[in-house]
Amino acid sequence: MRFLLRPIWSTLCARHNLRRHVWQSLANYIQSGGALFLGLILARLLTPDEFGRFAYVSAVVTAFMLPFTITFTPLLITNSGRDPGLLAKVLAVTCVVACLKVGVLLLYIVFSLWHNDRESAGLAFWIGTPFALSGFIDAFRADSEGKGFFRPNVMAQLLSLTTVIVISLGLVLTGWGVYGLAIAGFASYWPQLIAYIYTANPRLRGMSVTF
């Protein structure tokens, strides 16, 4: 066992590797802990039927978009910033994939409306939109991690968690039901995207950042 752990420990003890590990671990703790905290609270505020409807629509939307779940983020991670133009190329492909996902999402919404299922149509919009656009966050995050910057992950998770908690609890407590959770998920997408664009690209601020 010591023979197996020694290379891992020696690699982790390098200052830059340790710093990256700490930032990524902190982001994971925020994401997992926040989801657990919010889930416990919403379990007391939402009915089983509402949770079931949310889970059903989420599963259907995910299944419809699954054939178009294409990602090139591993290229950005392994690129490590050597090709400055790679991010733009990946974003261009991501835009095409996102359009395909949005098209599938619209078909499902129209199908639901055609069958007078307005609740599913509304939930599909709020749940499916961030899922369809998630590739942009993945691309910026992979580009950041490929350059060795993991601090943006923490900022993105903090902003996302804060947005979800404030909006979901506010809407659920004012009678919006399961829509509160769906709208909060939609709203939390944009702070994450802004955090990765702003933090992982110091040129946008005209200053250098050390992570």
mmCIF file of all heavy atoms in Angstrom, residues 130-175:
data_model
loop_
_atom_site.group_PDB
_atom_site.id
_atom_site.type_symbol
_atom_site.label_atom_id
_atom_site.label_comp_id
_atom_site.label_asym_id
_atom_site.label_seq_id
_atom_site.Cartn_x
_atom_site.Cartn_y
_atom_site.Cartn_z
ATOM 1 N N PRO A 130 -30.846 25.483 -19.264
ATOM 2 C CA PRO A 130 -29.461 25.414 -18.781
ATOM 3 C C PRO A 130 -28.762 24.124 -19.167
ATOM 4 O O PRO A 130 -27.541 24.113 -19.371
ATOM 5 C CB PRO A 130 -29.604 25.547 -17.258
ATOM 6 C CG PRO A 130 -31.009 25.207 -16.955
ATOM 7 C CD PRO A 130 -31.798 25.613 -18.147
ATOM 8 N N PHE A 131 -29.516 23.026 -19.263
ATOM 9 C CA PHE A 131 -28.909 21.768 -19.697
ATOM 10 C C PHE A 131 -28.431 21.862 -21.139
ATOM 11 O O PHE A 131 -27.350 21.365 -21.492
ATOM 12 C CB PHE A 131 -29.904 20.628 -19.542
ATOM 13 C CG PHE A 131 -29.331 19.266 -19.844
ATOM 14 C CD1 PHE A 131 -28.572 18.594 -18.901
ATOM 15 C CD2 PHE A 131 -29.537 18.676 -21.074
ATOM 16 C CE1 PHE A 131 -28.029 17.352 -19.180
ATOM 17 C CE2 PHE A 131 -29.005 17.428 -21.373
ATOM 18 C CZ PHE A 131 -28.243 16.766 -20.419
ATOM 19 N N ALA A 132 -29.237 22.501 -21.990
ATOM 20 C CA ALA A 132 -28.854 22.655 -23.393
ATOM 21 C C ALA A 132 -27.630 23.545 -23.556
ATOM 22 O O ALA A 132 -26.832 23.366 -24.477
ATOM 23 C CB ALA A 132 -30.026 23.228 -24.183
ATOM 24 N N LEU A 133 -27.470 24.507 -22.664
ATOM 25 C CA LEU A 133 -26.359 25.463 -22.765
ATOM 26 C C LEU A 133 -25.180 25.107 -21.861
ATOM 27 O O LEU A 133 -24.215 25.872 -21.791
ATOM 28 C CB LEU A 133 -26.861 26.868 -22.396
ATOM 29 C CG LEU A 133 -28.038 27.403 -23.227
ATOM 30 C CD1 LEU A 133 -28.455 28.778 -22.723
ATOM 31 C CD2 LEU A 133 -27.689 27.464 -24.713
ATOM 32 N N SER A 134 -25.248 23.980 -21.196
ATOM 33 C CA SER A 134 -24.205 23.622 -20.222
ATOM 34 C C SER A 134 -22.834 23.459 -20.858
ATOM 35 O O SER A 134 -21.807 23.581 -20.182
ATOM 36 C CB SER A 134 -24.587 22.331 -19.494
ATOM 37 O OG SER A 134 -24.701 21.252 -20.416
ATOM 38 N N GLY A 135 -22.794 23.178 -22.157
ATOM 39 C CA GLY A 135 -21.510 22.988 -22.820
ATOM 40 C C GLY A 135 -20.609 24.210 -22.768
ATOM 41 O O GLY A 135 -19.379 24.088 -22.766
ATOM 42 N N PHE A 136 -21.206 25.404 -22.699
ATOM 43 C CA PHE A 136 -20.390 26.622 -22.635
ATOM 44 C C PHE A 136 -19.653 26.713 -21.297
ATOM 45 O O PHE A 136 -18.471 27.064 -21.248
ATOM 46 C CB PHE A 136 -21.273 27.851 -22.852
ATOM 47 C CG PHE A 136 -21.858 27.933 -24.220
ATOM 48 C CD1 PHE A 136 -23.185 27.602 -24.451
ATOM 49 C CD2 PHE A 136 -21.078 28.326 -25.297
ATOM 50 C CE1 PHE A 136 -23.729 27.670 -25.727
ATOM 51 C CE2 PHE A 136 -21.613 28.403 -26.584
ATOM 52 C CZ PHE A 136 -22.940 28.063 -26.795
ATOM 53 N N ILE A 137 -20.363 26.385 -20.206
ATOM 54 C CA ILE A 137 -19.702 26.370 -18.901
ATOM 55 C C ILE A 137 -18.607 25.308 -18.882
ATOM 56 O O ILE A 137 -17.498 25.546 -18.374
ATOM 57 C CB ILE A 137 -20.727 26.119 -17.780
ATOM 58 C CG1 ILE A 137 -21.618 27.344 -17.583
ATOM 59 C CG2 ILE A 137 -20.028 25.766 -16.465
ATOM 60 C CD1 ILE A 137 -22.637 27.182 -16.481
ATOM 61 N N ASP A 138 -18.914 24.136 -19.434
ATOM 62 C CA ASP A 138 -17.923 23.055 -19.459
ATOM 63 C C ASP A 138 -16.671 23.474 -20.220
ATOM 64 O O ASP A 138 -15.544 23.145 -19.812
ATOM 65 C CB ASP A 138 -18.525 21.801 -20.104
ATOM 66 C CG ASP A 138 -19.652 21.205 -19.282
ATOM 67 O OD1 ASP A 138 -19.705 21.483 -18.071
ATOM 68 O OD2 ASP A 138 -20.480 20.470 -19.853
ATOM 69 N N ALA A 139 -16.848 24.193 -21.313
ATOM 70 C CA ALA A 139 -15.707 24.611 -22.122
ATOM 71 C C ALA A 139 -14.833 25.611 -21.378
ATOM 72 O O ALA A 139 -13.607 25.472 -21.328
ATOM 73 C CB ALA A 139 -16.196 25.217 -23.444
ATOM 74 N N PHE A 140 -15.448 26.628 -20.786
ATOM 75 C CA PHE A 140 -14.666 27.621 -20.051
ATOM 76 C C PHE A 140 -13.999 27.005 -18.825
ATOM 77 O O PHE A 140 -12.864 27.349 -18.489
ATOM 78 C CB PHE A 140 -15.557 28.796 -19.634
ATOM 79 C CG PHE A 140 -15.831 29.771 -20.744
ATOM 80 C CD1 PHE A 140 -17.088 29.879 -21.313
ATOM 81 C CD2 PHE A 140 -14.815 30.582 -21.223
ATOM 82 C CE1 PHE A 140 -17.333 30.773 -22.336
ATOM 83 C CE2 PHE A 140 -15.046 31.489 -22.250
ATOM 84 C CZ PHE A 140 -16.316 31.579 -22.810
ATOM 85 N N ARG A 141 -14.697 26.085 -18.149
ATOM 86 C CA ARG A 141 -14.104 25.437 -16.987
ATOM 87 C C ARG A 141 -12.916 24.564 -17.393
ATOM 88 O O ARG A 141 -11.869 24.584 -16.735
ATOM 89 C CB ARG A 141 -15.145 24.590 -16.260
ATOM 90 C CG ARG A 141 -14.578 23.909 -15.007
ATOM 91 C CD ARG A 141 -15.620 23.146 -14.227
ATOM 92 N NE ARG A 141 -16.152 22.041 -15.001
ATOM 93 C CZ ARG A 141 -17.428 21.911 -15.338
ATOM 94 N NH1 ARG A 141 -18.315 22.839 -14.988
ATOM 95 N NH2 ARG A 141 -17.844 20.876 -16.034
ATOM 96 N N ALA A 142 -13.070 23.807 -18.474
ATOM 97 C CA ALA A 142 -11.980 22.953 -18.937
ATOM 98 C C ALA A 142 -10.779 23.782 -19.368
ATOM 99 O O ALA A 142 -9.623 23.406 -19.102
ATOM 100 C CB ALA A 142 -12.460 22.074 -20.092
ATOM 101 N N ASP A 143 -11.039 24.911 -20.020
ATOM 102 C CA ASP A 143 -9.933 25.786 -20.432
ATOM 103 C C ASP A 143 -9.202 26.328 -19.214
ATOM 104 O O ASP A 143 -7.967 26.397 -19.186
ATOM 105 C CB ASP A 143 -10.479 26.932 -21.281
ATOM 106 C CG ASP A 143 -9.381 27.866 -21.763
ATOM 107 O OD1 ASP A 143 -8.535 27.415 -22.556
ATOM 108 O OD2 ASP A 143 -9.374 29.041 -21.348
ATOM 109 N N SER A 144 -9.964 26.690 -18.178
ATOM 110 C CA SER A 144 -9.368 27.197 -16.944
ATOM 111 C C SER A 144 -8.555 26.115 -16.242
ATOM 112 O O SER A 144 -7.416 26.357 -15.809
ATOM 113 C CB SER A 144 -10.470 27.717 -16.015
ATOM 114 O OG SER A 144 -9.939 28.122 -14.770
ATOM 115 N N GLU A 145 -9.122 24.930 -16.132
ATOM 116 C CA GLU A 145 -8.415 23.842 -15.459
ATOM 117 C C GLU A 145 -7.191 23.409 -16.246
ATOM 118 O O GLU A 145 -6.174 23.023 -15.656
ATOM 119 C CB GLU A 145 -9.359 22.660 -15.251
ATOM 120 C CG GLU A 145 -10.476 22.944 -14.259
ATOM 121 C CD GLU A 145 -11.435 21.782 -14.121
ATOM 122 O OE1 GLU A 145 -11.292 20.797 -14.888
ATOM 123 O OE2 GLU A 145 -12.336 21.850 -13.258
ATOM 124 N N GLY A 146 -7.276 23.441 -17.581
ATOM 125 C CA GLY A 146 -6.123 23.092 -18.399
ATOM 126 C C GLY A 146 -4.954 24.029 -18.185
ATOM 127 O O GLY A 146 -3.792 23.636 -18.325
ATOM 128 N N LYS A 147 -5.250 25.278 -17.834
ATOM 129 C CA LYS A 147 -4.202 26.259 -17.550
ATOM 130 C C LYS A 147 -3.767 26.234 -16.093
ATOM 131 O O LYS A 147 -2.927 27.032 -15.676
ATOM 132 C CB LYS A 147 -4.696 27.659 -17.903
ATOM 133 C CG LYS A 147 -4.986 27.835 -19.398
ATOM 134 C CD LYS A 147 -5.601 29.190 -19.681
ATOM 135 C CE LYS A 147 -5.936 29.342 -21.165
ATOM 136 N NZ LYS A 147 -6.623 30.628 -21.446
ATOM 137 N N GLY A 148 -4.376 25.326 -15.309
ATOM 138 C CA GLY A 148 -3.996 25.190 -13.904
ATOM 139 C C GLY A 148 -4.760 26.085 -12.960
ATOM 140 O O GLY A 148 -4.375 26.226 -11.803
ATOM 141 N N PHE A 149 -5.866 26.695 -13.421
ATOM 142 C CA PHE A 149 -6.662 27.587 -12.581
ATOM 143 C C PHE A 149 -7.897 26.839 -12.078
ATOM 144 O O PHE A 149 -8.792 26.524 -12.857
ATOM 145 C CB PHE A 149 -7.099 28.834 -13.360
ATOM 146 C CG PHE A 149 -5.966 29.645 -13.907
ATOM 147 C CD1 PHE A 149 -6.134 30.401 -15.061
ATOM 148 C CD2 PHE A 149 -4.737 29.659 -13.276
ATOM 149 C CE1 PHE A 149 -5.091 31.158 -15.569
ATOM 150 C CE2 PHE A 149 -3.683 30.404 -13.777
ATOM 151 C CZ PHE A 149 -3.861 31.155 -14.927
ATOM 152 N N PHE A 150 -7.945 26.586 -10.778
ATOM 153 C CA PHE A 150 -9.075 25.865 -10.191
ATOM 154 C C PHE A 150 -9.894 26.752 -9.249
ATOM 155 O O PHE A 150 -10.956 26.347 -8.803
ATOM 156 C CB PHE A 150 -8.596 24.629 -9.433
ATOM 157 C CG PHE A 150 -8.176 23.504 -10.336
ATOM 158 C CD1 PHE A 150 -6.945 23.513 -10.968
ATOM 159 C CD2 PHE A 150 -9.029 22.442 -10.570
ATOM 160 C CE1 PHE A 150 -6.565 22.484 -11.808
ATOM 161 C CE2 PHE A 150 -8.661 21.405 -11.413
ATOM 162 C CZ PHE A 150 -7.423 21.426 -12.031
ATOM 163 N N ARG A 151 -9.407 27.915 -8.957
ATOM 164 C CA ARG A 151 -10.134 28.819 -8.080
ATOM 165 C C ARG A 151 -11.487 29.241 -8.661
ATOM 166 O O ARG A 151 -12.459 29.401 -7.915
ATOM 167 C CB ARG A 151 -9.281 30.055 -7.787
ATOM 168 C CG ARG A 151 -9.878 30.981 -6.758
ATOM 169 C CD ARG A 151 -8.922 32.118 -6.457
ATOM 170 N NE ARG A 151 -9.469 33.044 -5.496
ATOM 171 C CZ ARG A 151 -8.825 34.121 -5.062
ATOM 172 N NH1 ARG A 151 -7.607 34.378 -5.505
ATOM 173 N NH2 ARG A 151 -9.380 34.934 -4.202
ATOM 174 N N PRO A 152 -11.599 29.430 -9.997
ATOM 175 C CA PRO A 152 -12.909 29.776 -10.547
ATOM 176 C C PRO A 152 -13.992 28.758 -10.232
ATOM 177 O O PRO A 152 -15.173 29.108 -10.183
ATOM 178 C CB PRO A 152 -12.636 29.850 -12.056
ATOM 179 C CG PRO A 152 -11.198 30.199 -12.162
ATOM 180 C CD PRO A 152 -10.542 29.506 -11.026
ATOM 181 N N ASN A 153 -13.619 27.492 -10.027
ATOM 182 C CA ASN A 153 -14.617 26.484 -9.679
ATOM 183 C C ASN A 153 -15.306 26.819 -8.362
ATOM 184 O O ASN A 153 -16.508 26.619 -8.207
ATOM 185 C CB ASN A 153 -13.967 25.104 -9.575
ATOM 186 C CG ASN A 153 -13.447 24.614 -10.913
ATOM 187 O OD1 ASN A 153 -13.770 25.174 -11.951
ATOM 188 N ND2 ASN A 153 -12.651 23.567 -10.891
ATOM 189 N N VAL A 154 -14.534 27.327 -7.411
ATOM 190 C CA VAL A 154 -15.096 27.683 -6.110
ATOM 191 C C VAL A 154 -16.035 28.882 -6.253
ATOM 192 O O VAL A 154 -17.145 28.885 -5.717
ATOM 193 C CB VAL A 154 -13.970 28.000 -5.103
ATOM 194 C CG1 VAL A 154 -14.558 28.470 -3.772
ATOM 195 C CG2 VAL A 154 -13.094 26.777 -4.887
ATOM 196 N N MET A 155 -15.593 29.895 -6.975
ATOM 197 C CA MET A 155 -16.433 31.075 -7.160
ATOM 198 C C MET A 155 -17.729 30.713 -7.875
ATOM 199 O O MET A 155 -18.816 31.173 -7.496
ATOM 200 C CB MET A 155 -15.682 32.146 -7.957
ATOM 201 C CG MET A 155 -16.528 33.369 -8.266
ATOM 202 S SD MET A 155 -15.595 34.668 -9.128
ATOM 203 C CE MET A 155 -14.539 35.249 -7.809
ATOM 204 N N ALA A 156 -17.626 29.858 -8.911
ATOM 205 C CA ALA A 156 -18.819 29.467 -9.663
ATOM 206 C C ALA A 156 -19.794 28.702 -8.783
ATOM 207 O O ALA A 156 -21.008 28.937 -8.838
ATOM 208 C CB ALA A 156 -18.411 28.613 -10.865
ATOM 209 N N GLN A 157 -19.287 27.796 -7.949
ATOM 210 C CA GLN A 157 -20.166 27.019 -7.081
ATOM 211 C C GLN A 157 -20.810 27.892 -6.003
ATOM 212 O O GLN A 157 -21.981 27.704 -5.657
ATOM 213 C CB GLN A 157 -19.383 25.873 -6.429
ATOM 214 C CG GLN A 157 -18.976 24.778 -7.389
ATOM 215 C CD GLN A 157 -20.162 24.146 -8.085
ATOM 216 O OE1 GLN A 157 -21.241 24.006 -7.517
ATOM 217 N NE2 GLN A 157 -19.978 23.758 -9.336
ATOM 218 N N LEU A 158 -20.063 28.848 -5.475
ATOM 219 C CA LEU A 158 -20.625 29.749 -4.468
ATOM 220 C C LEU A 158 -21.753 30.601 -5.061
ATOM 221 O O LEU A 158 -22.814 30.761 -4.454
ATOM 222 C CB LEU A 158 -19.530 30.646 -3.897
ATOM 223 C CG LEU A 158 -18.593 30.024 -2.862
ATOM 224 C CD1 LEU A 158 -17.473 30.999 -2.507
ATOM 225 C CD2 LEU A 158 -19.373 29.628 -1.606
ATOM 226 N N LEU A 159 -21.504 31.153 -6.235
ATOM 227 C CA LEU A 159 -22.526 31.970 -6.883
ATOM 228 C C LEU A 159 -23.753 31.140 -7.243
ATOM 229 O O LEU A 159 -24.889 31.573 -7.048
ATOM 230 C CB LEU A 159 -21.946 32.625 -8.139
ATOM 231 C CG LEU A 159 -20.905 33.720 -7.917
ATOM 232 C CD1 LEU A 159 -20.309 34.153 -9.247
ATOM 233 C CD2 LEU A 159 -21.519 34.909 -7.198
ATOM 234 N N SER A 160 -23.509 29.934 -7.759
ATOM 235 C CA SER A 160 -24.615 29.063 -8.134
ATOM 236 C C SER A 160 -25.441 28.662 -6.915
ATOM 237 O O SER A 160 -26.678 28.720 -6.939
ATOM 238 C CB SER A 160 -24.078 27.810 -8.824
ATOM 239 O OG SER A 160 -25.117 26.888 -9.085
ATOM 240 N N LEU A 161 -24.761 28.262 -5.841
ATOM 241 C CA LEU A 161 -25.469 27.830 -4.632
ATOM 242 C C LEU A 161 -26.268 28.971 -4.025
ATOM 243 O O LEU A 161 -27.427 28.785 -3.622
ATOM 244 C CB LEU A 161 -24.459 27.290 -3.618
ATOM 245 C CG LEU A 161 -25.034 26.828 -2.275
ATOM 246 C CD1 LEU A 161 -26.021 25.694 -2.467
ATOM 247 C CD2 LEU A 161 -23.902 26.398 -1.337
ATOM 248 N N THR A 162 -25.678 30.155 -3.959
ATOM 249 C CA THR A 162 -26.378 31.306 -3.400
ATOM 250 C C THR A 162 -27.625 31.634 -4.214
ATOM 251 O O THR A 162 -28.708 31.896 -3.665
ATOM 252 C CB THR A 162 -25.447 32.531 -3.359
ATOM 253 O OG1 THR A 162 -24.291 32.225 -2.585
ATOM 254 C CG2 THR A 162 -26.154 33.723 -2.740
ATOM 255 N N THR A 163 -27.482 31.606 -5.534
ATOM 256 C CA THR A 163 -28.622 31.901 -6.411
ATOM 257 C C THR A 163 -29.738 30.886 -6.229
ATOM 258 O O THR A 163 -30.917 31.246 -6.113
ATOM 259 C CB THR A 163 -28.169 31.911 -7.879
ATOM 260 O OG1 THR A 163 -27.123 32.867 -8.048
ATOM 261 C CG2 THR A 163 -29.331 32.269 -8.798
ATOM 262 N N VAL A 164 -29.374 29.605 -6.198
ATOM 263 C CA VAL A 164 -30.381 28.549 -6.062
ATOM 264 C C VAL A 164 -31.111 28.656 -4.730
ATOM 265 O O VAL A 164 -32.349 28.554 -4.666
ATOM 266 C CB VAL A 164 -29.726 27.158 -6.203
ATOM 267 C CG1 VAL A 164 -30.701 26.068 -5.787
ATOM 268 C CG2 VAL A 164 -29.286 26.933 -7.635
ATOM 269 N N ILE A 165 -30.382 28.855 -3.647
ATOM 270 C CA ILE A 165 -31.006 28.917 -2.327
ATOM 271 C C ILE A 165 -31.956 30.106 -2.223
ATOM 272 O O ILE A 165 -33.112 29.970 -1.794
ATOM 273 C CB ILE A 165 -29.933 28.984 -1.225
ATOM 274 C CG1 ILE A 165 -29.200 27.646 -1.126
ATOM 275 C CG2 ILE A 165 -30.561 29.336 0.130
ATOM 276 C CD1 ILE A 165 -28.086 27.636 -0.113
ATOM 277 N N VAL A 166 -31.483 31.281 -2.620
ATOM 278 C CA VAL A 166 -32.297 32.493 -2.492
ATOM 279 C C VAL A 166 -33.548 32.412 -3.357
ATOM 280 O O VAL A 166 -34.672 32.662 -2.891
ATOM 281 C CB VAL A 166 -31.464 33.742 -2.857
ATOM 282 C CG1 VAL A 166 -32.363 34.971 -2.927
ATOM 283 C CG2 VAL A 166 -30.347 33.950 -1.850
ATOM 284 N N ILE A 167 -33.381 32.044 -4.628
ATOM 285 C CA ILE A 167 -34.522 32.052 -5.544
ATOM 286 C C ILE A 167 -35.479 30.902 -5.260
ATOM 287 O O ILE A 167 -36.708 31.098 -5.219
ATOM 288 C CB ILE A 167 -34.031 31.990 -6.998
ATOM 289 C CG1 ILE A 167 -33.273 33.276 -7.344
ATOM 290 C CG2 ILE A 167 -35.203 31.795 -7.960
ATOM 291 C CD1 ILE A 167 -32.758 33.334 -8.757
ATOM 292 N N SER A 168 -34.945 29.699 -5.052
ATOM 293 C CA SER A 168 -35.834 28.552 -4.840
ATOM 294 C C SER A 168 -36.651 28.700 -3.563
ATOM 295 O O SER A 168 -37.872 28.501 -3.563
ATOM 296 C CB SER A 168 -35.031 27.255 -4.801
ATOM 297 O OG SER A 168 -34.117 27.246 -3.721
ATOM 298 N N LEU A 169 -35.996 29.066 -2.473
ATOM 299 C CA LEU A 169 -36.734 29.234 -1.220
ATOM 300 C C LEU A 169 -37.719 30.392 -1.315
ATOM 301 O O LEU A 169 -38.850 30.311 -0.813
ATOM 302 C CB LEU A 169 -35.762 29.452 -0.066
ATOM 303 C CG LEU A 169 -34.882 28.253 0.325
ATOM 304 C CD1 LEU A 169 -34.000 28.593 1.507
ATOM 305 C CD2 LEU A 169 -35.742 27.033 0.630
ATOM 306 N N GLY A 170 -37.301 31.471 -1.954
ATOM 307 C CA GLY A 170 -38.197 32.618 -2.093
ATOM 308 C C GLY A 170 -39.437 32.281 -2.890
ATOM 309 O O GLY A 170 -40.558 32.640 -2.503
ATOM 310 N N LEU A 171 -39.262 31.575 -4.002
ATOM 311 C CA LEU A 171 -40.407 31.235 -4.847
ATOM 312 C C LEU A 171 -41.276 30.143 -4.222
ATOM 313 O O LEU A 171 -42.508 30.212 -4.289
ATOM 314 C CB LEU A 171 -39.919 30.790 -6.231
ATOM 315 C CG LEU A 171 -39.266 31.873 -7.094
ATOM 316 C CD1 LEU A 171 -38.803 31.293 -8.421
ATOM 317 C CD2 LEU A 171 -40.229 33.027 -7.336
ATOM 318 N N VAL A 172 -40.642 29.135 -3.628
ATOM 319 C CA VAL A 172 -41.426 28.057 -3.008
ATOM 320 C C VAL A 172 -42.258 28.584 -1.842
ATOM 321 O O VAL A 172 -43.432 28.232 -1.681
ATOM 322 C CB VAL A 172 -40.495 26.918 -2.535
ATOM 323 C CG1 VAL A 172 -41.266 25.910 -1.681
ATOM 324 C CG2 VAL A 172 -39.883 26.207 -3.734
ATOM 325 N N LEU A 173 -41.663 29.454 -1.042
ATOM 326 C CA LEU A 173 -42.389 29.997 0.110
ATOM 327 C C LEU A 173 -43.514 30.939 -0.293
ATOM 328 O O LEU A 173 -44.426 31.181 0.499
ATOM 329 C CB LEU A 173 -41.408 30.725 1.038
ATOM 330 C CG LEU A 173 -40.421 29.822 1.795
ATOM 331 C CD1 LEU A 173 -39.409 30.665 2.556
ATOM 332 C CD2 LEU A 173 -41.163 28.888 2.748
ATOM 333 N N THR A 174 -43.454 31.467 -1.506
ATOM 334 C CA THR A 174 -44.517 32.370 -1.974
ATOM 335 C C THR A 174 -45.521 31.651 -2.868
ATOM 336 O O THR A 174 -46.313 32.307 -3.552
ATOM 337 C CB THR A 174 -43.912 33.565 -2.726
ATOM 338 O OG1 THR A 174 -43.030 33.097 -3.765
ATOM 339 C CG2 THR A 174 -43.137 34.462 -1.777
ATOM 340 N N GLY A 175 -45.469 30.322 -2.882
ATOM 341 C CA GLY A 175 -46.501 29.555 -3.565
ATOM 342 C C GLY A 175 -46.211 29.111 -4.983
ATOM 343 O O GLY A 175 -47.123 28.660 -5.681
#
